[in-house]
Amino acid sequence: MRFKLPPIVLINIGLLVLLAFVLILPGEGGLSSFFRGGKPLSYSDQRAGINLQNAFRNVYNSAKDSVVSIRTKKTEAITSPYQYFDYRTERLSSFGSGFLIHERGYVVTNFHVIKDAESIEVIASDGSVFPAKFVGSHERADIALLKIREGTGLKPVSFGDSDKIEVGDWAIAIGSPFGLERSFSVGVVSAKYREDLDETGQTHIQTDSMINPGSSGGPLLNIYGEVIGINRLIRSDSGRNTGIGFAIPMNYAKKIIQLIEENRGRIIRPATLGVMATVPLPDHRKALGIPDDWTGVLVYDMDAGSSAEVSGLKRYDFIMEANGVKVKNINDLREQVGIVGLGGRLKLRIYREKSLEDLTVRLIQK
């Protein structure tokens, strides 16, 4: 008995064959003509946008082999919410970002990315994974230096001058938000010198580039592909990006990195000078003989047993320089204290009783 297909099946097969011919048939009669149409806008119409698009591509291509993801692992105790003594330990992973600063394998990231880590791995743009060694860190500045082996194929970044950026300049962030490696986002510099964001007291670059958890430690780039900052934190009620992100200015970060290199193996801890100081009023200047064109801060009180008191700083000393840097306000002094860190020495140029003196303050734990 010969098997026959029902008529309805034959009709459907025929319709499918006809549809296939229509889809692939060349000429105006086929649907393929819809996929051969020209661009809605010509190159001449979009020349400016295409040039800008190419500029962003160039920045990404120049930086992608310098930016890395950082994976850390540490053991934590997980406690049951139902039974007080029911707990177990798990080895948890977390992600951050970083970038290569030297061909010998030195990688920079945030201190909070690697804090308390039991193991650190660096993941390159081609997926290669390299174990990283801890070189040192500065806790208050939130900067850490790592080292991987040489010859990894990673390319060191180029540094820009973060003091020369202006509000409105392009600001480009690359990092691993939520573990999504080498994510690229574009924004602008929203503000140059944001102060008093947290306990560090240092200034930050504000940007609306997309910075999210996992972006920390990645570079903030200018339109030339130069690093102008280290992405660090966001301002948000939800913990997600709201267009307000902050980066450590690279000129400041380079000083910290050099200090970390000089203090290998250490975590440079926060320190305080222990003084209350302010920019002097005209009456103060007149009474103490401080010339009007001199910049600095006037010490009006200090904590008992503080680094300042133990090292011989006195009330009504006028601090003009700290570590060779001119002090214009209390934030400048606080920044230099933060750079030196606990156990370091702060060199001050002061004006006391109508004479200039140099004083070295050892930053101790009160």
Side-chain angles (χ1 to χ4, degrees):
M1 179 187 237
R2 294 187 63 185
F3 176 76
K4 289 186 178 182
L5 290 172
I8 188 65
V9 175
L10 293 173
I11 292 171
N12 287 335
I13 292 174
L15 289 173
L16 287 173
V17 172
L18 179 61
L19 180 60
F21 273 108
V22 169
L23 288 174
I24 65 174
L25 185 66
E28 298 303 321
L31 290 179
S32 60
S33 62
F34 287 102
F35 306 112
R36 297 199 306 271
K39 293 180 174 62
L41 296 171
S42 67
Y43 174 81
S44 59
D45 292 332
Q46 293 297 96
R47 178 178 289 125
I50 292 170
N51 288 339
L52 182 59
Q53 176 177 272
N54 288 336
F56 291 143
R57 287 179 177 178
N58 291 339
V59 171
Y60 178 75
N61 288 329
S62 70
K64 67 181 177 67
D65 292 329
S66 305
V67 181
V68 298
S69 296
I70 296 177
R71 181 169 59 201
T72 62
K73 295 180 180 179
K74 62 181 178 180
T75 303
E76 291 190 2
I78 309 298
T79 304
S80 171
Y82 307 107
Q83 297 187 33
Y84 186 76
F85 294 103
D86 183 13
Y87 70 92
R88 66 185 186 281
T89 58
E90 287 191 8
R91 193 167 170 82
L92 304 178
S93 297
S94 60
F95 282 87
S97 305
F99 53 93
L100 192 79
I101 63 167
H102 196 281
E103 58 190 7
R104 289 176 57 193
Y106 289 102
V107 173
V108 166
T109 186
N110 287 142
F111 170 71
H112 76 259
V113 170
I114 57 92
K115 183 180 180 181
D116 298 328
E118 296 171 359
S119 67
I120 307 171
E121 294 176 322
V122 166
I123 305 172
S125 58
D126 62 358
S128 301
V129 180
F130 306 101
K133 294 181 179 179
F134 173 79
V135 176
S137 62
H138 196 298
E139 184 174 346
R140 173 163 285 185
D142 198 15
I143 295 175
L145 186 63
L146 310 175
K147 190 176 188 308
I148 59 176
R149 67 174 178 81
E150 299 179 43
T152 59
L154 292 171
K155 183 178 71 172
V157 298
S158 297
F159 295 115
D161 188 343
S162 57
D163 290 335
K164 291 183 178 179
I165 64 172
E166 297 294 340
V167 174
D169 287 356
W170 289 112
I172 300 164
I174 305 181
S176 302
F178 305 107
L180 302 172
E181 300 170 9
R182 279 165 298 285
S183 294
F184 182 92
S185 67
V186 176
V188 297
V189 174
S190 304
K192 289 180 65 173
Y193 301 116
R194 286 292 186 213
E195 298 178 345
D196 301 323
L197 296 174
D198 59 8
E199 71 283 353
T200 65
Q202 66 198 40
T203 61
H204 287 74
I205 300 168
Q206 182 182 331
T207 179
D208 64 351
S209 296
M210 294 297 289
I211 298 174
N212 277 297
S215 299
S216 294
L220 189 69
L221 308 163
N222 61 19
I223 196 63
Y224 303 106
E226 298 170 325
V227 179
I228 55 173
I230 304 173
N231 299 322
R232 178 171 180 254
L233 54 86
I234 61 175
R235 180 67 59 84
S236 170
D237 293 331
S238 65
R240 300 294 185 264
N241 185 280
T242 57
I244 305 176
F246 302 97
I248 304 169
M250 202 61 229
N251 287 5
Y252 172 76
K254 285 192 285 189
K255 297 175 186 177
I256 298 296
I257 293 166
Q258 183 176 359
L259 187 64
I260 292 172
E261 171 66 17
E262 293 169 359
N263 292 270
R264 281 174 166 267
R266 283 185 55 205
I267 297 177
I268 301 173
R269 303 292 184 185
T272 58
L273 185 58
V275 301
M276 279 66 80
T278 185
V279 175
L281 297 172
D283 288 347
H284 295 147
R285 289 181 180 273
K286 184 177 180 180
L288 298 170
I290 303 170
D292 292 339
D293 58 344
W294 284 11
T295 60
V297 293
L298 182 66
V299 176
Y300 62 86
D301 203 356
M302 67 183 69
D303 296 331
S306 65
S307 302
E309 185 185 65
V310 170
S311 298
L313 204 64
K314 298 180 180 179
R315 290 181 67 189
Y316 307 123
D317 282 347
F318 182 63
I319 302 175
M320 302 175 63
E321 293 182 5
N323 290 336
V325 177
K326 288 186 176 180
V327 174
K328 301 183 290 297
N329 52 51
I330 190 63
N331 282 328
D332 289 340
L333 180 60
R334 187 185 298 139
E335 182 176 280
Q336 292 305 313
V337 172
I339 288 174
V340 173
L342 190 63
R345 297 181 184 275
L346 185 70
K347 296 179 180 179
L348 300 177
R349 167 61 64 94
I350 64 172
Y351 182 68
R352 174 189 292 173
E353 298 176 354
K354 299 185 179 181
S355 66
L356 292 171
E357 297 183 21
D358 292 321
L359 181 68
T360 298
V361 177
R362 185 169 178 270
L363 299 176
I364 62 173
Q365 185 76 50
K366 180 182 172 182

